[in-house]
Amino acid sequence: MSYPAFQNLIGGQWLPAVSGRTILNLNPADHRDVVGEFPSSHAEDVDLAVAAAKKAYATWRLVPAPRRAEILFRAGILLQERKEQYARDMTREMGKVLTETRGDVQEAIDEAFYVAGEGRRLFGVTTPSELPNKFAMSLRMPVGVVGLITPWNFPMAIPSWKLFPALVAGNTCVLKPATDTPLSTYNLVQALMDAGLPPGVVNIVSGTGSAVGTPLVQHPDVRAISFTGSSAVGAQVAAHAAAAFKAVSLEMGGKNAQIVMDDANLSLALDGALWGAFGTTGQRCTATSRILLQKGIAAQFTREFVARAGRLRIGNGLDASVEVGPQVNPAQIETSAKYVEIALAEGAKLLAGGHALTEGSYAHGTYFAPTVFAGVTPAMRIAREEVFGPVVSLIEFETFEEAIHIANAIDYGLSTALYTKDVNRAFAAIRDLEAGITYINAPTIGAEVHLPFGGVKHTGNGHREGLGALEFFTTWKAVYVDYSDKLQRAQIDTTE
Ligand code: UN1
């Protein structure tokens, strides 16, 4: 069997891991299909990459921001031209269906054009000085070398959310792609290189979280870390970074609720719930994993939802008729199966799925049947813990206030959705739902790149991607220019 061998990107050179070891990237739809071989790197590879990024920073930070932005703009055009190929590569390594991987590439294209515009903004603030003949302003400065650690579920979009703002601001980057889906991240960086990105400005070190992520977070020359992944790993990243007072942006789990009121357009709410729960095989931080149903519509909604979940076509995402692809790897299947056990033990009622699919065309992949639990109460673990798979819980409620309470009664706070025709309730929900994102009459998934993306509570640590990313990837410099030609003392030389 032949497959391509990829290497680390360090200072513009493709280099194998110092250890010489590699990791195979397998197609989750059929593990006999090897997408490629990628380096299994360690701290010594991280050291080389950080040194290259540090060297490149000396010149990249001085490139005018509009020029840096032009490279992003050209990369966006190249991604448009390569969209179909990159989408196919992504389905092969990640599993989600082609319509969705096209969306993932599109999200990177959107991000490129959005952030390219920032090259001619990067606004600071000018403000009057309290002293005469003195000028005051503030500038956005790059942070330096930044470390980016990205997940497998959006293997091009999420790296683009981090790379593009970091680059336009003048930082240089060391990127650790997800172990399961490095190819899409390589494709993204290839587009940047073909667009004219100088060597060393972006470096890729492939490998596992413990072997590459940890030394990257701990490296003294890395000034900031942007991480997307689980809350458990995020806590470790934050702890490691705290010791060196590094800035850390953490984007982590969700347990997102869609609330359906009795007055909702029921077929719209059903469409949204199916897409939110089973799109990307439930493997989005924004996935709908709780559906809160008001008593009046609960029985009908449940019946129709279960019927439609059972009819979803599951299979290889490269097949245009397939609606739900495999889960990314066997460990994710185990997690889904584990939560089915937990839910059953807690007394939830299994209405659909609940098992891996292993027969016939599913035999060589990691497939899990779309799974629906009813009779779930807010206290159950299945109602509170993230599964990150095609497993959804139906929870019934009586009043709007109760729905808001249940929606908020979790440790996470990423995305929420309310289906209603009552504008007063819609605005009350916008105010009261504890989440970084609230949709009205739309599913919990589908954020656009130019709005703030992120969550509250255990979902994040206060930073935002999209609108807000520049806050993380720049540092403020306050500048005072005194043109009075004499010593003026702030706070002391007052006029009184
Ligand atoms: C994620 O699940 O980690 O809002 C990102 C969405 C996508 C991004 C999801 N645009 O669902």
Side-chain angles (χ1 to χ4, degrees), residues 338-352:
K338 181 184 90 179
Y339 273 99
V340 168
E341 292 301 312
I342 290 170
L344 288 172
E346 290 176 312
K349 195 165 157 221
L350 181 64
L351 298 187

Side-chain angles (χ1 to χ4, degrees), residues 107 153-154 158 161 228 283-286 439 444-447 453:
E107 202 159 336
N153 66 336
F154 276 81
I158 291 180
W161 293 357
T228 300
Q283 301 172 121
R284 295 196 190 205
C285 330
T286 51
Y439 292 91
T444 62
I445 66 177
F453 184 93

Side-chain angles (χ1 to χ4, degrees), residues 396-473:
E396 295 189 18
F397 66 89
E398 289 186 14
T399 64
F400 173 73
E401 290 70 27
E402 189 189 348
I404 298 290
H405 177 77
I406 296 170
N408 289 343
I410 48 163
D411 287 335
Y412 296 111
L414 182 53
S415 186
T416 42
L418 173 72
Y419 281 75
T420 185
K421 288 188 187 136
D422 181 336
V423 71
N424 295 350
R425 290 223 167 104
F427 275 89
I430 291 167
R431 182 193 59 202
D432 294 339
L433 285 169
E434 294 171 359
I437 306 172
T438 293
Y439 292 91
I440 303 298
N441 293 325
T444 62
I445 66 177
E448 302 175 24
V449 298
H450 55 301
L451 278 83
F453 184 93
V456 299
K457 300 197 266 186
H458 290 192
T459 294
N461 64 339
H463 297 283
R464 289 292 183 271
E465 311 210 64
L467 181 72
L470 285 178
E471 298 305 325
F472 184 72
F473 287 114

Side-chain angles (χ1 to χ4, degrees), residues 336-350 371 373-376 380-383 391-393:
S336 295
K338 181 184 90 179
Y339 273 99
V340 168
E341 292 301 312
I342 290 170
L344 288 172
E346 290 176 312
K349 195 165 157 221
L350 181 64
T371 297
F373 280 105
V376 174
M380 291 180 183
R381 285 180 65 189
I382 194 66
V391 179
V392 66
S393 296

